[in-house]
Amino acid sequence: MKYSLILCSNMHMDIDKANSIFSENQHIEWVSDYKIADVVIIMTCAFGTKKRYSMFVIADVIKSTKPKTRIIATGCLAKLNKTELEALPNLEVKSLEEVLKMLKMEEDSGCKYEICKIPQDTVIISNGCLKKCSYCVYPLFEGKYTSKPLEAVLSEVKSLYKSGEPVIYITGAHETSDYGIDLYGKRSFARLIDEVCTNFPNAKYVIGWFHPVGLTDDVIRVLSKHKNIVQIMVHIQHVENALLSNMNRPKFEETEERIQKLHAVRPDLGISTELIVGFPGETEEMFNHLVEYLEKRRNIFTDIGIASYEPVINTKASKLSNLPRLEVRNARMQVIKEKFGAVGYEAPKDFEPLLSSFFEACYLLDWYADEM
């Protein structure tokens, strides 16, 4: 039996999961060419335009694989739109846990196949998210928050460090600042990053996906102490408290105070952030306030990611009223993208039906429904 695994996203957490699947199932023969595989596992993505891309991948796999090939969809989209995916021909929909169980039950041939992991410069220290941001579906996918033991994190950093990796990215799969709360009874990121930087001082470190409330005094002290920490990503999302309240995010003044305190002790530290425009209730005036704030903070934010809001089913935000039109949301995203050199994430069509995306992919592949 030959197996193939396809990633629909290059997100660090998906790469980490794929590498775990490979390393834990070395009794299985993995092939890169899914057209010759007996079982194809598609790790789908539900974020933005990757949703449509996932449907294109599914259509291509159904079209191109051998007869009787077993095709399995897993990942975020498989959780979010399980019913719609189950309506597609010749496709099984399973959770990642079900896929892992299936792989472990595969008969052990006695062989140990050579496994080539997908390289990345990232150490993922935790999985899941304790925050309840109203627009985000990840907590619904991942369940409880789980941290890797400190010793395991240090071992992974050591491996990258010994390989000569000049910059090591330290992040949670979804949220970093709550690291250790499940293992040690309190947030322990300050302790973790202090040990990392002390034990492996000749690399540079970038910290990802940090919630503003986690930017506590002890974390700021550690960031001040270790100059080999060169960047941290702190998501502010917006500057309007009315919107932040509906997002279930901290008040703007609280976040701004923490960022200013950090910048005061580490003016050389790169601070990147992510924003959402076009959230339900955002007026032109509110958007202009955000632009004005970014103008004043050009000396602080080294990188900006900007997403035009995308309603995601099963989230609280998707039920809010006063959603700006799609063209307005994307236009506001474009303004910040051009004005500040931001990386932009455009919202796709609102609640685009998955089956429509699937059949669109079929036609783009010159493959018609009557051939299915």
Side-chain angles (χ1 to χ4, degrees):
M1 292 277 285
K2 292 180 171 64
Y3 284 74
S4 185
L5 178 65
I6 301 174
L7 291 180
C8 295
S9 164
N10 60 357
M11 298 289 280
H12 58 268
M13 62 277 234
D14 291 331
I15 292 175
D16 190 64
K17 288 175 182 176
N19 284 336
S20 295
I21 291 173
F22 291 144
S23 62
E24 293 172 14
N25 294 281
Q26 295 184 39
H27 62 291
I28 287 173
E29 183 178 3
W30 295 96
V31 295
S32 58
D33 184 359
Y34 62 85
K35 294 178 183 178
I36 66 170
D38 302 292
V39 180
V40 180
I41 300 166
I42 306 169
M43 191 174 290
T44 60
C45 182
F47 178 70
T49 56
K50 293 289 179 68
K51 183 188 301 181
R52 178 180 288 185
Y53 177 69
S54 294
M55 299 306 295
F56 190 98
V57 170
I58 290 171
D60 186 48
V61 171
I62 293 175
K63 173 198 174 187
S64 304
T65 47
K66 303 183 301 181
K68 298 185 179 179
T69 296
R70 190 176 179 188
I71 304 168
I72 301 168
T74 189
C76 293
L77 195 63
K79 289 186 178 181
L80 187 64
N81 293 96
K82 186 174 188 292
T83 301
E84 291 89 342
L85 289 177
E86 286 176 333
L88 300 180
N90 306 321
L91 183 70
E92 299 178 46
V93 183
K94 292 182 177 293
S95 68
L96 185 60
E97 292 74 19
E98 290 172 325
V99 169
L100 292 172
K101 184 177 180 180
M102 176 195 78
L103 294 174
K104 289 187 184 303
M105 292 175 64
E106 178 66 23
E107 183 177 349
D108 194 329
S109 64
C111 297
K112 291 294 181 182
Y113 294 98
E114 183 177 350
I115 302 298
C116 295
K117 286 191 174 184
I118 304 169
Q120 64 171 342
D121 57 356
T122 301
V123 176
I124 295 177
I125 65 174
S126 60
N127 191 58
C129 185
L130 294 172
K131 307 299 185 289
K132 304 295 182 185
C133 301
S134 67
Y135 49 81
C136 184
V137 77
Y138 279 126
L140 302 178
F141 293 159
E142 297 299 334
K144 64 180 182 179
Y145 190 87
T146 55
S147 305
K148 288 181 183 176
L150 188 148
E151 296 76 17
V153 174
L154 290 175
S155 177
E156 290 187 38
V157 173
K158 182 179 180 180
S159 179
L160 287 175
Y161 189 78
K162 289 177 68 176
S163 72
E165 192 67 53
V167 179
I168 299 174
Y169 191 71
I170 306 289
T171 184
H174 305 96
E175 162 55 24
T176 306
S177 69
D178 284 327
Y179 172 79
I181 201 165
D182 55 316
L183 295 179
Y184 311 117
K186 62 180 181 178
R187 292 193 187 104
S188 303
F189 181 78
R191 173 190 168 198
L192 171 73
I193 199 66
D194 187 34
E195 294 214 20
V196 165
C197 293
T198 300
N199 284 284
F200 311 106
N202 295 326
K204 294 180 179 179
Y205 298 94
V206 173
I207 299 167
W209 289 15
F210 217 77
H211 194 281
V213 299
L215 204 57
T216 55
D217 288 345
D218 60 338
V219 169
I220 291 174
R221 277 193 296 270
V222 170
L223 296 176
S224 174
K225 173 182 175 183
H226 295 289
K227 300 300 189 288
N228 53 342
I229 302 172
V230 296
Q231 185 169 329
I232 184 171
M233 177 185 285
V234 182
H235 294 189
I236 67 170
Q237 304 302 16
H238 215 284
V239 300
E240 292 288 335
N241 284 330
L243 299 181
L244 290 168
S245 177
N246 282 337
M247 291 180 181
N248 198 27
R249 300 283 298 181
K251 289 183 178 180
F252 166 69
E253 292 80 8
E254 296 171 3
T255 298
E256 173 71 350
E257 180 183 358
R258 296 171 194 270
I259 289 174
Q260 290 297 324
K261 183 179 290 189
L262 174 60
H263 182 65
V265 298
R266 278 292 309 275
D268 61 314
L269 178 67
I271 302 177
S272 61
T273 194
E274 291 203 355
L275 310 163
I276 297 174
V277 292
F279 192 79
E282 184 189 58
T283 64
E284 192 69 24
E285 183 181 17
M286 291 176 173
F287 171 70
N288 289 335
H289 286 166
L290 176 61
V291 173
E292 290 166 7
Y293 169 76
L294 295 175
E295 285 278 16
K296 289 192 297 184
R297 295 293 180 253
R298 280 182 182 269
N299 66 320
I300 292 183
F301 294 121
T302 53
D303 293 286
I304 296 173
I306 177 69
S308 53
Y309 171 72
E310 174 193 358
V312 179
I313 60 173
N314 297 327
T315 59
K316 290 185 177 180
S318 67
K319 300 175 176 62
L320 294 173
S321 57
N322 299 322
L323 174 67
R325 299 191 313 276
L326 178 64
E327 57 269 27
V328 171
R329 284 180 272 148
N330 284 339
R332 290 175 182 173
M333 181 274 297
Q334 194 66 29
V335 168
I336 290 180
K337 181 179 176 182
E338 293 176 358
K339 196 174 186 66
F340 301 101
V343 176
Y345 304 97
E346 187 174 84
K349 294 179 182 178
D350 300 336
F351 295 100
E352 182 176 25
L354 285 184
L355 293 180
S356 296
S357 294
F358 175 75
F359 287 113
E360 176 189 0
C362 293
Y363 279 88
L364 289 172
L365 290 165
D366 294 322
W367 174 46
Y368 300 93
D370 59 359
E371 295 183 37
M372 291 164 46

